[in-house]
């Protein structure tokens, strides 16, 4: 992606496909997807299995190990929320697949929003997504320390816990600095390893299922619809990451074909694990005990096989899961700013690449996440941090909505080179459901998170003003 008059199309960055100058619409011809001559042995494009692992690994972080206990107070009606969210997430995945088929460049929602609506919309998508990634990294690292404490006591002192959280952030960052070849390897291995214990509970728990453990369908007062929305608000954050393959499309082999497939397969696989895992825990752990549980999967394994070894096994699985998730999110955190920097909408330093990875973007992201982690431990206030985590749910919906709007724009405009008329009705229904899902994400984030998120977005408007002014002056 290049700005006319600033970066010649004949000089693409390593591993990035050359693109047409910015005209407000994606290029009509398919950009080449072969490795760049500058790509070294540390750079490797992701095939369909690794791209799928990237999607599943980023969706399934550590949250699944706490979800059953988090939604247990709402009763089994929360399983309905799971089903509704899964439909919305898969529709969003299908939208990303269709958009990537038209424009398979690194940047995902940023590329789609900018192609349909221009620079400002593209910048908002990139800015909001960037905020989502580094705040999520800080949240994952802090949560991972809780599982690490089961294996190695670190929570006894605030600074030892802080150091552990920082280490968990910097190790995946170092893997990214080593090159995309190592990022893909870590992501694939961590995804495979964490699925062994998850499937043990998700599938094995069905053989120990006791309906008496389920508890009431809707134990609280009020309507069942309200309970579905309330439990969905807790579950929403767990579905962030469906855009992972689209954001890294420039690093995926045959992206027009593989991005869509990896997105749908990865999202459906993650949803299946979520649903089966939660159902199995509901059926193996008594409801009154599950409501107060801090390690529901450990309790489920203990109930299935007896003993107390389940806590160790699940803690190790959660640690592997979140480390792999941090590895993938660290890569994604640099990809969207890289794409925006190539177009002159982010500082040029974000466009620096080494071994296929935007190293400056990785460095800035891990530093910001580290500062937020230190702030969390020094402030002593979990409420502030929880609000920032909910902000990521809101900020993620900005690129989601803009990407979905871009799909609707192309469908309504009816441009033959961008729209498959044979699938027009189906694509329109899928895009409408994805738009509704994105709006539900905003509602589920809550008033405080939306307020904080809007402040983040407005700060980005000032950054855009400076960057746009510089572009105008140089032009």
């Amino acid at each position: 992606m290049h700005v006319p008059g600033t970066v010649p199309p004949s000089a693409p960055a390593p591993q990035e496909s050359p693109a047409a100058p910015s005209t407000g619409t994606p290029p009509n011809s398919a950009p080449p997807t072969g490795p760049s001559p500058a790509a070294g042995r540390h750079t490797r494009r992701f095939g369909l299995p690794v791209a799928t692992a990237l999607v599943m690994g980023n969706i399934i972080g550590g949250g699944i190990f706490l979800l059953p206990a988090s939604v247990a107070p709402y009763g089994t009606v929360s399983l309905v929320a799971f089903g509704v969210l899964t439909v919305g997430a898969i529709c969003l995945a299908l939208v990303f697949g269709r958009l990537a088929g038209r424009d398979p460049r690194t940047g995902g929602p940023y590329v789609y929003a900018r192609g349909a609506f221009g620079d400002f919309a593209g910048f908002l998508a990139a800015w909001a997504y960037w905020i989502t990634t580094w705040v999520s990294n800080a949240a994952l690292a802090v949560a991972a320390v809780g599982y690490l404490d089961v294996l190695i006591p670190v929570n006894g002192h605030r600074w030892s816990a802080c150091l552990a959280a920082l280490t968990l952030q910097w190790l995946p960052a170092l893997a990214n600095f080593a090159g995309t070849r190592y990022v893909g390897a870590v992501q694939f291995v961590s995804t495979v390893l964490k699925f062994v214990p998850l499937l043990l509970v998700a599938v094995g728990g069905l053989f120990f299922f006791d309906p008496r453990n389920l508890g009431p369908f809707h134990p609280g007062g009020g309507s069942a619809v309200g309970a579905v929305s309330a439990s969905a608000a807790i579950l929403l954050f767990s579905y962030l990451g469906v855009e992972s393959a689209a954001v890294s499309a420039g690093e995926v082999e045959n992206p027009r074909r593989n991005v869509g497939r990896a997105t749908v397969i990865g999202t459906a696989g993650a949803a299946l694990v979520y649903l089966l895992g939660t159902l199995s825990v509901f059926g193996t752990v008594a409801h009154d005990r599950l409501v107060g549980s801090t390690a529901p999967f450990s309790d489920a394994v203990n109930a299935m096989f007896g003993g107390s070894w389940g806590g160790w096994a699940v803690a190790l699985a959660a640690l592997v899961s979140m480390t792999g998730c941090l590895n993938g999110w660290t890569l994604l955190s640099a990809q969207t700013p890289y794409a925006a920097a190539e177009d002159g909408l982010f500082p040029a330093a974000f466009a620096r690449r080494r071994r296929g990875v935007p190293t400056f973007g990785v460095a800035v992201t891990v530093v910001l996440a580290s500062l937020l982690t230190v702030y969390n431990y020094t402030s002593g206030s979990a409420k502030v941090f929880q609000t920032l985590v909910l902000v990521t749910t809101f900020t993620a919906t900005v690129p989601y909505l803009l990407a979905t709007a871009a799909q609707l724009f192309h469908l309504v405009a009816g441009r033959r080179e961008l729209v498959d008329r044979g699938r027009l009705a189906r694509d329109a229904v899928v895009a409408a459901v994805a738009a509704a899902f994105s709006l539900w994400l905003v509602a589920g984030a809550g008033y405080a998170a939306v307020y904080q998120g809007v402040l983040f977005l407005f700060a980005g408007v000032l950054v855009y003003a400076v960057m746009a002014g510089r572009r105008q002056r140089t032009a």
Side-chain angles (χ1 to χ4, degrees):
M1 290 149 284
H2 302 277
V3 182
T6 58
V7 183
S10 59
Q15 280 296 100
E16 180 67 4
S17 304
S22 303
T23 60
T25 58
N28 296 331
S29 59
T33 56
S36 153
R41 62 188 178 87
H42 299 284
T43 304
R44 177 179 294 174
R45 287 185 178 272
F46 302 151
L48 179 60
V50 173
T52 303
L54 184 67
V55 175
M56 294 188 72
N58 286 347
I59 293 177
I60 302 178
I64 187 173
F65 295 96
L66 296 175
L67 281 178
S70 300
V71 298
Y74 299 99
T76 52
V77 72
S78 57
L79 296 176
V80 177
F82 255 127
V84 175
L85 287 172
T86 298
V87 172
I90 290 178
C91 285
L92 191 60
L94 289 169
V95 168
F96 281 124
R98 296 293 290 161
L99 290 168
R102 296 192 190 102
D103 194 353
R105 292 180 288 169
T106 292
Y110 159 75
V111 172
Y112 314 142
R114 183 170 182 261
F117 309 119
D119 287 349
F120 185 62
F123 173 83
L124 283 182
W127 181 262
Y129 192 77
W130 184 53
I131 293 170
T132 301
T133 54
W134 62 264
V135 175
S136 296
N137 279 3
L140 282 169
V142 172
V145 171
Y147 292 105
L148 179 63
D149 188 63
V150 177
L151 306 173
I152 305 173
V154 293
N155 267 337
H157 190 274
R158 181 170 58 186
W159 288 112
S160 62
C162 181
L163 180 61
L166 294 176
T167 302
L168 289 170
Q169 288 178 46
W170 279 90
L171 286 177
L174 293 177
N176 274 264
F177 287 134
T180 54
R181 175 176 182 170
Y182 300 98
V183 174
V186 171
Q187 194 67 28
F188 188 77
V189 171
S190 64
T191 300
V192 171
L193 289 178
K194 73 181 176 185
F195 266 85
V196 174
L198 287 178
L199 291 177
L200 172 66
V201 175
V203 178
L206 298 178
F207 294 96
F208 296 86
F209 192 89
D210 186 350
R212 293 174 296 179
N213 290 327
L214 291 176
F217 178 73
H218 176 35
S223 67
V225 175
V228 169
S229 297
S231 56
I234 299 175
L235 301 171
L236 293 175
F237 183 77
S238 303
Y239 276 85
L240 300 182
V242 297
E243 72 292 336
S244 302
V247 171
S248 296
E251 280 66 50
V252 177
E253 292 179 355
N254 192 6
R256 292 186 185 275
R257 174 180 179 272
N258 287 336
V259 167
R261 293 188 177 190
T263 301
V264 174
I265 295 172
T267 302
L272 182 63
V273 173
Y274 276 153
L275 288 168
L276 288 180
T278 303
L279 181 63
S280 294
V281 173
F282 273 21
T284 53
V285 182
H287 180 262
D288 55 349
R289 182 182 178 188
L290 183 60
V291 170
S293 174
T294 58
F297 272 73
S298 295
D299 293 338
V301 172
N302 291 338
M304 290 162 56
F305 303 108
S308 59
W309 58 270
W312 282 76
V314 172
L316 182 60
L319 200 58
V320 171
S321 174
M322 282 190 267
T323 302
C325 195
L326 280 166
N327 178 67
W329 276 108
T330 299
L331 174 64
L332 296 185
S333 67
Q335 296 288 26
T336 298
Y338 164 79
E342 283 282 275
D343 290 326
L345 300 181
F346 259 56
F350 282 91
R352 297 173 186 168
R353 288 166 69 96
R354 185 170 178 265
R355 296 175 176 176
V357 175
T359 50
F360 182 82
V362 170
V364 171
T365 296
V366 73
V367 168
L368 288 174
S370 298
L371 292 175
L372 184 57
T373 302
V374 172
Y375 170 75
N376 175 65
Y377 281 104
T378 55
S379 66
S381 174
K383 186 176 180 180
V384 173
F385 193 74
Q386 289 170 357
T387 301
L388 289 173
V389 169
L390 285 175
V391 167
T392 65
T393 301
F394 167 71
T395 54
T397 61
V398 176
Y400 286 179
L401 275 171
L402 287 170
T404 305
Q407 171 73 338
L408 290 171
F409 168 78
H410 293 311
L411 295 176
V412 174
R415 295 177 56 189
R416 293 185 178 180
E417 71 273 18
L418 297 177
V419 175
D420 183 352
R421 292 184 178 274
R423 301 178 53 175
L424 182 61
R426 180 172 57 179
D427 285 349
V429 171
V430 169
V433 174
F437 173 69
S438 300
L439 290 173
W440 195 19
L441 285 170
V442 176
Y447 293 107
V450 172
Y451 168 75
Q452 297 284 351
V454 169
L455 291 180
F456 274 117
L457 289 179
F458 281 1
V461 171
L462 300 178
V463 175
Y464 176 80
V466 173
M467 296 303 301
R470 292 180 60 183
R471 291 177 64 201
Q472 182 68 29
R473 184 180 61 187
T474 55

